């Protein structure tokens, strides 16, 4: 469950303020799939960044499952991120790692035992159709393939919630 109550986000930059989101109220129940649409600059990415705890709201309350993001500490945020995965608009792949290693990184960070990783990684890579690219480096991949690596990395831990910021923008049909 995701609940936003009276959420506002104001950015203060160079003596100017910009209200990116104002008084947002939203309830997403377990099992629901929700798409947030709007024009460029409407605040969609800001909303996603609030939901994954990368930024905090200026005012209001954000609750994801049992976590209140308005007053969560670093360790609580890390625990929450095991349940809530993020696929970014930009690929955020490490160029020095192969496709396999980029996906495995999510499991390492989550503390998954080394012997349990290979099956999980290969399952996620197969799900996004990149089995034949598992030993390739990001520089050799197309934009859509890089995006699919990002998706595999996000789903490899089987999160309860998957937040996506324009994940289909680089994908083929």
């Amino acid at each position: 469950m995701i609940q936003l109550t009276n959420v506002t986000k104001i950015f203060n930059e160079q003596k100017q303020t910009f209200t990116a989101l104002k008084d947002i109220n939203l309830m997403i129940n377990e099992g629901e799939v929700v798409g947030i649409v709007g024009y460029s600059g409407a605040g969609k990415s800001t909303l996603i960044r609030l939901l994954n705890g990368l930024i905090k709201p200026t005012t209001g309350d954000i609750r994801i499952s049992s976590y209140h993001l308005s007053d969560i500490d670093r360790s609580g945020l890390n625990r929450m991120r095991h349940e809530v995965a993020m696929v970014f608009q930009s690929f955020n792949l490490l160029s020095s790692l192969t496709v396999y290693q980029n996906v495995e990184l999510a499991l390492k960070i989550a503390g998954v035992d080394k012997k349990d990783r290979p099956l999980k990684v290969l399952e996620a890579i197969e799900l996004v159709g990149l089995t034949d690219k598992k030993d390739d480096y990001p520089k050799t991949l197309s934009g859509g393939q890089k995006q699919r690596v990002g998706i595999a990395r996000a789903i490899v831990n089987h999160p309860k919630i998957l937040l996506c910021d324009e994940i289909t923008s680089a994908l083929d049909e």
Side-chain angles (χ1 to χ4, degrees), residues 62-125:
I62 300 172
R63 188 173 150 206
I64 297 181
S65 296
S66 62
Y67 301 97
H68 284 271
L69 289 156
S70 302
D71 53 52
I72 197 168
D73 63 8
R74 173 61 74 193
S75 66
L77 190 58
N78 288 337
R79 280 192 308 278
M80 183 207 68
R81 287 186 178 146
H82 291 293
E83 298 176 28
V84 180
M86 177 73 194
V87 181
F88 292 92
Q89 185 176 355
S90 57
F91 314 122
N92 293 335
L93 302 180
L94 296 174
S95 61
S96 62
L97 300 181
T98 64
V99 167
Y100 182 97
Q101 293 166 329
N102 266 284
V103 175
E104 183 185 34
L105 184 60
L107 295 171
K108 284 182 184 178
I109 291 169
V112 173
D113 192 282
K114 191 173 185 172
K115 68 177 173 40
D116 297 328
R117 293 182 204 157
L119 183 61
K120 291 175 180 280
V121 172
L122 293 174
E123 176 187 69
I125 290 172

Side-chain angles (χ1 to χ4, degrees), residues 11-12 58 68 99:
F11 291 99
N12 295 305
T58 305
H68 284 271
V99 167

Side-chain angles (χ1 to χ4, degrees), residues 1-2 4 19 27 34 47 54 68 87-88 96 106 136 138 148:
M1 186 253 329
I2 297 174
L4 285 82
T19 303
M27 176 73 146
V34 176
L47 179 62
L54 289 174
H68 284 271
V87 181
F88 292 92
S96 62
D136 291 3
R148 288 187 278 156

Side-chain angles (χ1 to χ4, degrees), residues 8-173:
T8 296
K9 180 59 183 173
I10 299 171
F11 291 99
N12 295 305
E13 295 180 13
Q14 299 177 354
K15 299 180 185 177
Q16 294 183 339
T17 62
F18 172 72
T19 303
L21 298 170
K22 184 176 181 183
D23 200 29
I24 304 295
N25 291 286
L26 176 66
M27 176 73 146
I28 302 171
N29 294 305
E30 187 174 327
E32 288 184 316
V33 176
V34 176
I36 307 292
V37 296
Y39 292 110
S40 180
K44 301 178 301 291
S45 293
T46 298
L47 179 62
I48 292 287
R49 292 171 56 82
L50 285 166
L51 292 176
N52 67 20
L54 289 174
I55 58 175
K56 293 211 179 257
T58 305
T59 61
D61 185 54
I62 300 172
R63 188 173 150 206
I64 297 181
S65 296
S66 62
Y67 301 97
H68 284 271
L69 289 156
S70 302
D71 53 52
I72 197 168
D73 63 8
R74 173 61 74 193
S75 66
L77 190 58
N78 288 337
R79 280 192 308 278
M80 183 207 68
R81 287 186 178 146
H82 291 293
E83 298 176 28
V84 180
M86 177 73 194
V87 181
F88 292 92
Q89 185 176 355
S90 57
F91 314 122
N92 293 335
L93 302 180
L94 296 174
S95 61
S96 62
L97 300 181
T98 64
V99 167
Y100 182 97
Q101 293 166 329
N102 266 284
V103 175
E104 183 185 34
L105 184 60
L107 295 171
K108 284 182 184 178
I109 291 169
V112 173
D113 192 282
K114 191 173 185 172
K115 68 177 173 40
D116 297 328
R117 293 182 204 157
L119 183 61
K120 291 175 180 280
V121 172
L122 293 174
E123 176 187 69
I125 290 172
E126 182 179 353
L127 190 62
V128 298
L130 290 175
T131 303
D132 62 326
K133 303 286 185 187
K134 69 179 176 57
D135 297 320
D136 291 3
Y137 289 88
K139 69 180 178 183
T140 67
L141 303 175
S142 70
Q145 290 168 330
K146 290 175 185 176
Q147 189 67 66
R148 288 187 278 156
V149 176
I151 294 168
R153 187 177 51 203
I155 64 172
V156 72
N157 279 314
H158 301 282
K160 292 179 182 176
I161 297 171
L162 183 61
L163 302 172
C164 307
D165 189 5
E166 293 191 35
I167 64 162
T168 59
S169 63
L171 296 179
D172 297 333
E173 291 178 23

